[in-house]
Amino acid sequence: MARFLRPQFRTFIISQLRMSSDQLGELGKGAGKGGGGGGSIREAGGALGKRQAAEEELYFRRKEQEQLAALRVHHQEEIDHHKKEIERLQREIDRHKGKIRKLKHDD
């Protein structure tokens, strides 16, 4: 996506991404550089902090997968709806063409 942006915007976005990724520090290694503590277990670091960080990552990954699945279902429903609408409109077109043929035949 970034390659389609203007060079100055691309540079800005890339630098912002790099800076924001540095804010976290290593997951489970105590408080991050951003000033947020993350709770007493994570502040202490160690195995419990790493485990909590891993559980949080897993939770958010699952949430994201659920949202993507719901989005896929929604888009498929939209596609089905539009296909039915196309079929309905095609029947209307055919009906009007029939009326035109009938009018031409009556002349």
Side-chain angles (χ1 to χ4, degrees):
M1 177 184 108
R3 67 178 176 204
F4 297 116
L5 298 174
R6 293 184 191 160
Q8 65 267 22
F9 292 126
R10 179 176 40 210
T11 304
F12 174 75
I13 290 173
I14 291 171
S15 66
Q16 289 298 314
L17 287 173
R18 286 185 185 146
M19 286 175 29
S20 67
S21 67
D22 291 341
Q23 295 290 317
L24 289 176
E26 189 175 339
L27 294 177
K29 289 285 189 182
K33 296 178 185 175
S40 60
I41 293 176
R42 287 188 73 175
E43 285 176 2
L48 287 177
K50 288 182 181 180
R51 180 175 178 211
Q52 183 181 12
E55 287 176 359
E56 287 177 10
E57 288 296 315
L58 182 61
Y59 170 79
F60 286 112
R61 192 174 307 127
R62 285 181 180 160
K63 264 307 205 200
E64 183 181 26
Q65 291 300 319
E66 290 172 8
Q67 291 172 344
L68 287 172
L71 189 60
R72 284 186 194 101
V73 169
H74 173 72
H75 284 308
Q76 189 58 49
E77 290 172 353
E78 287 282 318
I79 290 169
D80 294 341
H81 167 74
H82 289 298
K83 284 181 179 179
K84 288 178 183 177
E85 188 67 15
I86 289 170
E87 291 171 1
R88 184 187 69 78
L89 292 171
Q90 190 61 49
R91 286 192 302 270
E92 287 292 315
I93 290 170
D94 294 341
R95 185 174 65 86
H96 287 293
K97 284 181 179 178
K99 284 182 177 182
I100 291 172
R101 277 194 302 273
K102 185 177 179 184
L103 288 172
K104 284 183 180 178
H105 180 65
D106 289 344
D107 285 343

